[in-house]
Amino acid sequence: MQRRQLIQATAAAYAVQMAPAFAQAKTKVKVGYLHTPAVDGHIWLGQQMGAFAKQGLDLELVQFATGLELFQAMIGGSLDVLATGAVISNFPARGQGRVFLMNNIEYATAQLWVRDDIKTLADLKGKQISTTTGTTAHVFLDRALRSAQLDPAKDVQIVNQRMTEAVTSFVSGAVPAVALWVPFDAVIRQRMPNARRLVDASAFFPQAAIMGGWAARNDYYDKNRAVLSSLATAWGEVNAFISGKPDEAAEALQKAQYKDIPLADFKEQFKASKYFTNAEWRTRYQDGTATRWLQQVTDFFVASANIQGAQKAEQYFDPRIFLEAVKS
């Protein structure tokens, strides 16, 4: 009995001594993100589920207003990785960041809202449209205007503002239209009951599929592939929950991070993204679909920003990290 008690006491003392060591064993990763469900949904649900901690990761989360600011921060060295929307197809094409993980298709997250006197896209000719250029909303707006044979550079005036200011301009009546992303539509629904959602990005899927996902700083990607693999493994656990139980996932996310949006409205916003199962993502990674979707948006940025010597998506996107980490 004394011997057993001695062993138990020794084991307990060892556990106490080692607890700090185990706590310190987690790898800290500086992650930048946008506060929109299409981008940070996997992050916050993963934090709630303990998925990242289970993989030995301690995410230091930093919120930004746009993907442009995210990439500028990462290029400057203050972030290791980031999660964003369409901008995932921009800076990596310039050689600034490596894409390694997709979140979803921003199926209907980008939306064009107009005053009630504007009935069709053609009615926008000669009008001002507020948006944040270089973002998911801008990519969608360009596609929408061209579908109505409107030249975005000549037939309308695109007013570049941060999204909060763009929505304010529309609500105040300064501009007759705004191209935004969810959840900024909630502001318009609350304050402009007569405004109309003229069209959203789903009208142009899959020809203009816009993906959101993750990118790593170049040097971080080169030196920390094991960390990125762990991140992808944790993401896979979260994605299985989102794709398998979307209503439960939306309820958990709304309760924790989007309390200011009524649950019914948030569920609608959550459904604006198209989520694939891990198995479906594996197929789209392997058959090149994900790469083609990235390239479609890169082509827009190359043309609109006149990017010289741009890399192709097959050069800046590494599907192997996900494929090796997430098997089903």
Side-chain angles (χ1 to χ4, degrees):
M1 180 65 71
Q2 291 179 338
R3 181 173 182 274
R4 184 162 62 249
Q5 291 173 338
L6 177 61
I7 292 173
Q8 291 173 343
T10 302
Y14 177 77
V16 171
Q17 292 173 357
M18 291 302 295
F22 284 123
Q24 294 171 6
K26 285 188 172 56
T27 301
K28 181 167 288 189
V29 185
K30 295 181 180 178
V31 182
Y33 71 97
L34 305 181
H35 191 42
T36 170
V39 173
D40 69 5
H42 284 82
I43 292 174
W44 292 115
L45 288 173
Q47 294 288 74
Q48 291 179 50
M49 295 165 60
F52 297 110
K54 189 186 304 181
Q55 296 301 320
L57 303 177
D58 177 13
L59 304 190
E60 182 180 325
L61 300 172
V62 186
Q63 182 180 330
F64 288 80
T66 69
L68 303 175
E69 295 167 357
L70 273 170
F71 267 99
Q72 289 164 357
M74 189 174 76
I75 293 165
S78 59
L79 297 174
D80 300 322
V81 302
L82 59 79
T84 189
V87 188
I88 205 78
S89 299
N90 184 345
F91 287 86
R94 306 168 188 261
Q96 299 171 326
R98 293 294 301 271
V99 180
F100 65 94
L101 187 62
M102 298 293 102
N103 272 334
N104 44 40
I105 299 290
E106 300 217 22
Y107 182 67
T109 62
Q111 304 175 355
L112 181 61
W113 285 79
V114 298
R115 294 185 316 220
D116 57 2
D117 61 314
I118 296 175
K119 307 301 182 184
T120 68
L121 284 165
D123 295 338
L124 290 169
K125 188 170 183 176
K127 302 288 198 303
Q128 290 185 320
I129 306 171
S130 285
T131 194
T132 306
T133 59
T135 65
T136 298
H138 185 203
V139 176
F140 150 71
L141 176 61
D142 184 89
R143 180 74 182 193
L145 292 172
R146 293 184 189 279
S147 74
Q149 286 72 56
L150 295 177
D151 186 333
K154 299 177 181 178
D155 293 329
V156 301
Q157 182 182 349
I158 296 177
V159 181
N160 180 29
Q161 297 176 294
R162 296 182 72 171
M163 192 53 67
T164 50
E165 285 77 23
V167 171
T168 298
S169 293
F170 178 64
V171 171
S172 69
V175 297
V178 59
L180 52 75
W181 60 77
V182 170
F184 284 97
D185 60 316
V187 178
I188 295 174
R189 294 177 191 276
Q190 294 166 6
R191 299 175 59 184
M192 290 188 69
N194 293 327
R196 294 190 307 114
R197 184 174 67 183
L198 187 61
V199 67
D200 62 48
S202 66
F204 311 107
F205 178 84
Q207 291 78 15
I210 302 172
M211 285 195 299
W214 296 65
R217 202 175 65 241
N218 289 346
D219 61 325
Y220 193 86
Y221 165 86
D222 291 336
K223 299 174 183 178
N224 296 276
R225 288 179 61 85
V227 176
L228 300 183
S229 178
S230 295
L231 199 155
T233 299
W235 181 96
E237 179 183 348
V238 181
N239 192 62
F241 174 50
I242 290 176
S243 59
K245 299 179 179 179
D247 281 343
E248 289 184 29
E251 290 168 9
L253 188 57
Q254 185 268 351
K255 184 177 181 180
Q257 293 294 325
Y258 290 91
K259 294 179 182 178
D260 56 327
I261 302 175
L263 180 58
D265 292 344
F266 183 78
K267 283 187 174 181
E268 181 180 348
Q269 294 178 356
F270 197 69
K271 291 177 181 177
S273 294
K274 183 180 286 293
Y275 295 96
F276 296 120
T277 66
N278 292 334
E280 289 170 334
W281 272 124
R282 283 187 65 84
T283 298
R284 284 161 176 78
Y285 277 43
Q286 291 171 326
D287 67 11
T289 298
T291 303
R292 288 194 297 273
W293 284 344
L294 283 169
Q295 187 61 48
Q296 287 175 172
V297 182
T298 289
D299 290 341
F300 163 78
F301 286 120
V302 169
S304 64
N306 192 28
I307 302 174
Q308 300 297 314
Q311 291 187 10
K312 297 290 186 181
E314 62 188 24
Q315 296 173 285
Y316 67 71
F317 172 46
D318 182 1
R320 295 170 300 174
I321 290 175
F322 171 83
L323 292 173
E324 292 171 2
V326 183
K327 299 301 182 183
S328 64

